[in-house]
Amino acid sequence: VFDEVCDVTGITLKRFMSEVVLLNPELGELGTLFGAIDTACKAISNLVKRSQLPSSETLGYQGEVNIQGEDQKKLDVITNDLLKRALRFTGRLGVLASEEEDEPLDLISSLPNEAIFSDTEKYVCVFDPLDGSSNVDAGIPTGTIIGIYEHDETCAIDFDDCTDDECSEQEAQCLANTLQAGNNLVAAAYCLYSSSTFLVLTLGAGTYGFTLDENLGEFILSHPAMKIPETSSIISMNEANTFMWDQPLQDTVMKWKRGEGKSGNSFSSRYIGSMVGDVHRTLLYGGIFGYPSDTKNPNGKLRLLYEGAPMSFIVEQAGGLATTGKQRVMEITPDYVHQRVPIILGSKNDVQEVIDAYENAS
Ligand code: AHG
Ligand code: MN
Ligand code: MN
Ligand code: MN
């Protein structure tokens, strides 16, 4: 059904999602959520592009430190508020978690009037509203990462039908429901604010890329059924940390640099310090992107729930691999909403070489 690309506008994201929902009615609520994501990504793209203008006053620091210990950029806060609002008033979300929120938010009880929520599916949404935000003042590409998990009946809390203790118990269960392994993701998406504005998504049946046509104001299907090259010649890691990495990874990367890897390829290095931009290039050109474990940060830097798991889902659905070195990233259930995870992802033959090196070393 997606092959009929012959009409004038191309397949818009709206049409793509309505065709998905026609074929899979049980995903109806997901279509509503992607309507909100579509709008939010366009709004954030506009904010990021206009932030460089003197009149915008949205560059620079907020003057707050977030729970990650990072100096928040003004745009971290603005984009977080924008996404929270866009998602919450779909009435389809029970819980959301964000890089910029200390704790997961239970959207049902926090709304002025629970009547906004009909008894439809309640999804759990996790997101990194502005990924690579340290780059935003320099106009280097940034992104947004979103993961959507199945709802859980504890998130449809009927406050008239429980005692205070029961309600808070249900709320606690609902919030705990946020912390699911990537294997439970029903959808994942990223938006990339670069030379074009891209939206790449998976619903568990392949990875699809859309490009914003600014004349139409619509995301148009531009990369149907993305497939990552199985072997590559691009290393994409912060190599200032090389001598702090695990030995198996150091050995493998050294082999690649000497042209002595399995593929025999000679390698180049490409790293922009924005995960979304680095992963998007890796999906299209092939490569190995990583923020590995190192002696300073044994769990690396990237957060499992709203960076590692959604991006691993997207890469795996495009035929790539995503590992900590010792296990699939999508198998790990977070204990904590901001838990960090070592991550090496990309072209499957090259990532497999890293997995084998760890296995041989154990
Ligand atoms: P965020 O801006 O959402 O905090 O994420 C930044 C991350 C990720 O985008 C990128 O891959 C990584 O930080 C770069 O870290 P280094 O600058 O330490 O390499
Ligand atoms: Mn950050
Ligand atoms: Mn990030
Ligand atoms: Mn961020």
Side-chain angles (χ1 to χ4, degrees):
V1 72
F2 303 138
D3 297 343
E4 307 143 21
V5 194
C6 50
D7 53 359
V8 174
T9 61
I11 296 183
T12 62
L13 176 60
K14 288 183 177 63
R15 181 177 143 199
F16 179 92
M17 285 310 296
S18 58
E19 287 183 4
V20 165
V21 172
L22 270 177
L23 296 170
N24 310 274
E26 74 285 1
L27 296 180
E29 314 303 340
L30 212 50
T32 310
L33 275 182
F34 269 93
I37 292 168
D38 181 322
T39 307
C41 282
K42 291 172 195 164
I44 294 174
S45 172
N46 191 37
L47 277 168
V48 166
K49 289 191 186 330
R50 296 189 60 78
S51 65
Q52 300 292 335
L53 296 169
S55 56
S56 76
E57 296 177 359
T58 54
L59 288 184
Y61 289 96
Q62 177 74 6
E64 308 280 334
V65 177
N66 67 10
I67 192 148
Q68 322 286 341
E70 300 166 342
D71 290 329
Q72 269 181 324
K73 303 305 274 279
K74 287 180 190 165
L75 279 169
D76 277 324
V77 177
I78 295 167
T79 56
N80 185 55
D81 291 343
L82 189 155
L83 256 178
K84 267 194 317 188
R85 260 195 315 277
L87 290 167
R88 145 184 201 167
F89 288 100
T90 59
R92 299 298 184 276
L93 273 199
V95 181
L96 68 77
S98 162
E99 178 198 349
E100 306 303 339
E101 298 291 333
D102 294 5
E103 295 298 330
L105 292 179
D106 167 3
L107 294 184
I108 302 173
S109 55
S110 62
L111 276 177
N113 158 13
E114 291 82 32
I116 293 181
F117 283 92
S118 51
D119 57 356
T120 56
E121 293 277 307
K122 295 284 178 290
Y123 284 102
V124 173
C125 199
V126 298
F127 58 83
D128 174 356
L130 196 64
D131 172 71
S133 59
S134 61
N135 281 319
V136 77
D137 289 15
I140 306 292
T142 52
T144 297
I145 307 170
I146 297 173
I148 299 172
Y149 290 91
E150 274 293 354
H151 76 298
D152 178 295
E153 53 285 353
T154 59
C155 284
I157 301 168
D158 178 352
F159 288 85
D160 302 330
D161 186 23
C162 52
T163 65
D164 288 355
D165 289 353
E166 285 166 343
C167 290
S168 42
E169 166 56 29
Q170 285 182 36
E171 271 192 299
Q173 177 53 45
C174 181
L175 294 179
N177 178 45
T178 321
L179 304 181
Q180 301 177 49
N183 280 338
N184 287 11
L185 281 162
V186 291
Y190 65 75
C191 300
L192 171 60
Y193 314 114
S194 181
S195 55
S196 296
T197 298
F198 301 95
L199 188 150
V200 174
L201 65 83
T202 182
L203 305 171
T207 293
Y208 289 81
F210 297 77
T211 301
L212 181 62
D213 177 336
E214 300 199 349
N215 297 333
L216 264 183
E218 295 291 354
F219 281 106
I220 304 297
L221 183 63
S222 52
H223 300 72
M226 296 173 85
K227 283 283 167 277
I228 185 171
E230 295 191 348
T231 300
S232 73
S233 52
I234 301 173
I235 301 169
S236 183
M237 301 178 195
N238 184 338
E239 296 190 51
N241 300 331
T242 300
F243 300 114
M244 295 189 289
W245 294 342
D246 295 339
Q247 201 53 49
L249 178 66
Q250 287 196 47
D251 297 346
T252 309
V253 170
M254 212 40 82
K255 275 188 201 154
W256 289 338
K257 289 182 173 179
R258 291 197 189 102
E260 294 164 3
K262 274 222 174 90
S263 64
N265 290 349
S266 55
F267 277 75
S268 183
S269 176
R270 289 285 184 278
Y271 187 73
I272 67 167
S274 286
M275 181 187 198
V276 171
D278 280 318
V279 171
H280 189 69
R281 184 207 52 251
T282 300
L283 271 175
L284 292 171
Y285 292 4
I288 310 94
F289 167 81
Y291 210 104
S293 163
D294 63 46
T295 47
K296 203 171 51 178
N297 302 299
N299 281 329
K301 172 181 181 180
L302 298 177
R303 284 61 50 123
L304 171 59
L305 193 64
Y306 42 78
E307 290 172 313
M311 296 305 256
S312 296
F313 191 22
I314 289 168
V315 166
E316 286 196 358
Q317 284 292 316
L321 292 180
T323 179
T324 64
K326 297 170 182 153
Q327 67 178 119
R328 268 181 78 237
V329 171
M330 289 182 75
E331 284 166 3
I332 307 170
T333 300
D335 300 321
Y336 165 58
V337 63
H338 300 295
Q339 175 174 330
R340 296 173 194 265
V341 67
I343 186 163
I344 297 147
L345 62 75
S347 296
K348 71 174 187 180
N349 295 340
D350 302 324
V351 175
Q352 189 58 51
E353 214 169 323
V354 175
I355 295 168
D356 296 346
Y358 271 90
E359 253 158 39
N360 298 337
S362 60

